Amino acid sequence: MTIDLEALYLDLHQHPELSFQETRTAGIAAQHLRDLGLEVEEGVGLTGIVAVLRNDDGPVVWVRADMDALPVEELTGLPYASTAQGVDRAGKTVPVMHACGHDMHVTAMIGAVEKLVGERAEWSGTLVVLIQPAEEYGAGARAMLNDGILDRYPKPDVVLGQHVTPLAAGTIGVRTGTQMAASDGLTVTLHGRGGHGSRPHSTIDPIVMAAATIMRLQTIPSREVDPQGVGVVTVGSIHAGLKNNIIPAEATLELSLRYPDEQSRQKVLASVERIIRAEATASGAEREPEIRTDHTLPPTINDEEATARVTSALKRALGDDAVIDPGMFTGSEDVSWFARDAGAPLVFWFWGGVDPARFAEASAAGRVAQDIPTNHSPFFAPEIHPTIDVGVTALSSAAREFLD
Ligand code: ZN
Ligand code: ZN
């Protein structure tokens, strides 16, 4: 039996599902894993899957993929572009797209498991496959762990995972130490006093308060974080008001913060809070702003020894030149909760999905950031080939490094 991975990818791409709603995706993945002879449990951490392949004595390797999509309207113009819609947490109907490539992750995972099943005479140990929900909320890994997977399944000797990214297809980016940033997601409510748009002096305008706050927050990365370091403060959502002649009573901001370590995290969080409260005071607010933490993600730290082994396995499988150190990414992941809770080493790498000629051209022109759509862009579109194959080879070779 050979699984048609391209067909699987196209199907998943055209049927993206929002976080914690991935029931169709999970059903398809579970069926493939069952067909391949694995013991499969569905509904783990709401919509996740755990599948086990026991193949004699030996190490336990956890391989993880995520499967949720994003509220983004796909603008790639591809014949297989998503036209799907979904209902988000707030009950709003939104367009849905696999703008982070998690459809590619599930496809490569199924391909890698198929390969490992075919090669089972050559290795021994236990492969535990995790297909997790809601990575985009930073909540899916935690949900699976809270469901007790560490008690019910063999504990890992190593946790492996991969993410498709805007590198040239065929290239793998991996580094020892901090591979991805830590992150916090905050919701901030600024309280003003509502009133008539013609009588601003009788109100406390939360929109002006929000505008001043947003601009001032930008001085954290530019004026407070060491220029040699990394700090990101993004306000990704702002909501206030319903009509031009009504000054609303409140404004809501959603922040995404990124840093490489706990020390920078404490410093940036303190600055964010100081500025929010000070701008509210500057506006004459009568009520303190509310600052709520929606999620906290640790930095993704690759274990030194395990990463050295994976790096050499990837070089053997894909060629010496195919593996590069991409530097630390300011994106964040919840994959490391699996390794942290289990006390096991983690190796998490990136694999490229961009047409190599196009990537080389953008690179030569110094225009990678402008010309190559990144994850979460409505134009994000990994090349199907060779990206699927490279993802399959990378994941299966890395697993074999520990199982052989
Ligand atoms: Zn993402
Ligand atoms: Zn992602």
Side-chain angles (χ1 to χ4, degrees), residues 37-357:
L38 279 72
E39 303 160 32
V40 179
E41 181 183 348
E42 289 179 77
V44 183
L46 212 59
T47 45
I49 300 171
V50 181
V52 183
L53 176 59
R54 290 173 216 271
N55 190 28
D56 224 331
D57 292 339
V60 178
V61 176
W62 282 21
V63 285
R64 172 273 202 180
D66 44 8
M67 61 175 165
D68 52 330
L70 286 160
V72 173
E73 183 179 358
E74 179 159 357
L75 300 176
T76 59
L78 289 165
Y80 55 89
S82 167
T83 55
Q85 292 199 317
V87 177
D88 71 8
R89 275 194 289 192
K92 219 175 119 206
T93 298
V94 292
V96 187
M97 172 190 177
H98 266 298
C100 205
H102 299 182
D103 46 353
M104 189 59 83
H105 303 176
V106 175
T107 304
M109 174 65 81
I110 299 297
V113 174
E114 182 184 36
K115 193 158 188 291
L116 290 165
V117 167
E119 296 168 354
R120 64 188 301 165
E122 299 163 33
W123 58 270
S124 63
T126 300
L127 184 75
V128 177
V129 177
L130 309 171
I131 302 193
Q132 80 155 71
E135 188 282 324
E136 298 291 356
Y137 284 171
R142 186 44 64 207
M144 291 184 79
L145 287 159
N146 287 347
D147 205 340
I149 56 170
L150 274 170
D151 302 326
R152 277 185 284 136
Y153 293 98
K155 288 193 178 42
D157 293 301
V158 66
V159 177
L160 305 174
Q162 58 179 1
H163 205 302
V164 69
T165 204
L167 289 171
T171 301
I172 304 276
V174 64
R175 74 193 316 247
T176 191
T178 306
Q179 174 76 82
M180 297 183 83
S183 159
D184 287 279
L186 309 182
T187 298
V188 177
T189 307
L190 303 173
H191 298 287
R193 190 191 325 125
H196 202 288
S198 68
R199 297 178 49 78
H201 58 291
S202 70
T203 73
I204 296 167
D205 188 343
I207 292 183
V208 173
M209 197 190 307
T213 303
I214 292 166
M215 295 309 289
R216 182 90 200 187
L217 286 172
Q218 296 315 311
T219 63
I220 298 173
S222 67
R223 302 291 86 185
E224 297 192 36
V225 173
D226 184 335
Q228 317 251 17
V230 176
V232 177
V233 178
T234 291
V235 180
S237 155
I238 165 167
H239 286 96
L242 293 168
K243 196 173 181 309
N244 71 329
N245 63 356
I246 305 169
I247 292 171
E250 63 179 47
T252 308
L253 311 177
E254 290 183 327
L255 276 60
S256 181
L257 313 175
R258 314 288 167 139
Y259 4 71
D261 53 46
E262 185 58 27
Q263 202 187 350
S264 336
R265 174 170 181 265
Q266 292 302 339
K267 188 170 171 351
V268 170
L269 279 173
S271 302
V272 164
E273 179 166 355
R274 187 192 76 235
I275 288 170
I276 290 167
R277 297 201 185 284
E279 287 295 346
T281 303
S283 297
E286 292 157 339
R287 245 178 93 187
E288 279 286 308
E290 281 145 32
I291 304 172
R292 187 183 76 208
T293 300
D294 297 319
H295 68 252
T296 296
L297 293 174
T300 303
I301 298 175
N302 280 339
D303 177 79
E304 194 176 333
E305 192 196 321
T307 303
R309 290 183 66 179
V310 167
T311 302
S312 61
L314 294 175
K315 284 183 173 173
R316 280 198 306 278
L318 296 161
D320 276 353
D321 296 342
V323 185
I324 61 163
D325 176 349
M328 189 194 88
F329 282 42
T330 49
S332 309
E333 259 285 344
D334 67 354
V335 63
S336 65
W337 287 128
F338 292 116
R340 283 166 190 261
D341 277 29
L346 170 76
V347 189
F348 191 76
W349 63 89
F350 292 90
W351 95 100
V354 184
D355 172 32

